[in-house]
Amino acid sequence: QVQLVESGGGLVQAGGSLRLSCAASGRTFSSFAMAWFRQAPGKEREFVAAIRRSGSSTYYADSVKGRFTISRDNAKNTVNLQMNSLKPEDTAVYYCAADPVNFATVVAKYDYWGQGTQVTGSS
């Protein structure tokens, strides 16, 4: 079992930056692959970025590649998402997710989820 709490969301102008954080508690954080997903109003939850347990490998959705960076600090039990060059279409609730087995881009592969944090990009 692991508990996840996101923070760092807010309102930002197009072209601006935000840094989301996800704090984990419970089981050993380094035993989980971590990911960020997002869900815009009226749309399905979609993959944003993922990072392996050790942080040695990352993977991004094409829509955020080159603008977003996922990172983790296993000593602090946190995973971060640095979002640069934000666009209005990045507006969504952003969720942190964890899984002890999979390094995946699919919602169904992740067992543990945070409550989400709202990111709003204004034009």
Side-chain angles (χ1 to χ4, degrees), residues 17-74:
S17 298
L18 274 178
R19 183 177 177 86
L20 304 183
S21 292
C22 174
S25 60
R27 284 177 55 183
T28 305
F29 179 69
S30 60
S31 65
F32 291 88
M34 300 297 297
W36 288 94
F37 289 77
R38 66 186 182 186
Q39 188 166 17
K43 295 188 177 181
E44 293 187 352
R45 194 168 298 188
E46 65 175 8
F47 171 77
V48 175
I51 189 167
R52 290 194 183 274
R53 298 177 185 87
S54 65
S56 60
S57 181
T58 58
Y59 188 75
Y60 297 92
D62 287 343
S63 59
V64 306
K65 200 172 295 183
R67 300 188 297 123
F68 291 11
T69 302
I70 188 171
S71 62
R72 67 188 296 160
D73 186 335
N74 286 344

Side-chain angles (χ1 to χ4, degrees), residues 86-99:
L86 279 161
K87 305 175 181 180
E89 52 263 43
D90 293 320
T91 295
V93 176
Y94 283 70
Y95 297 90
C96 173
D99 195 84

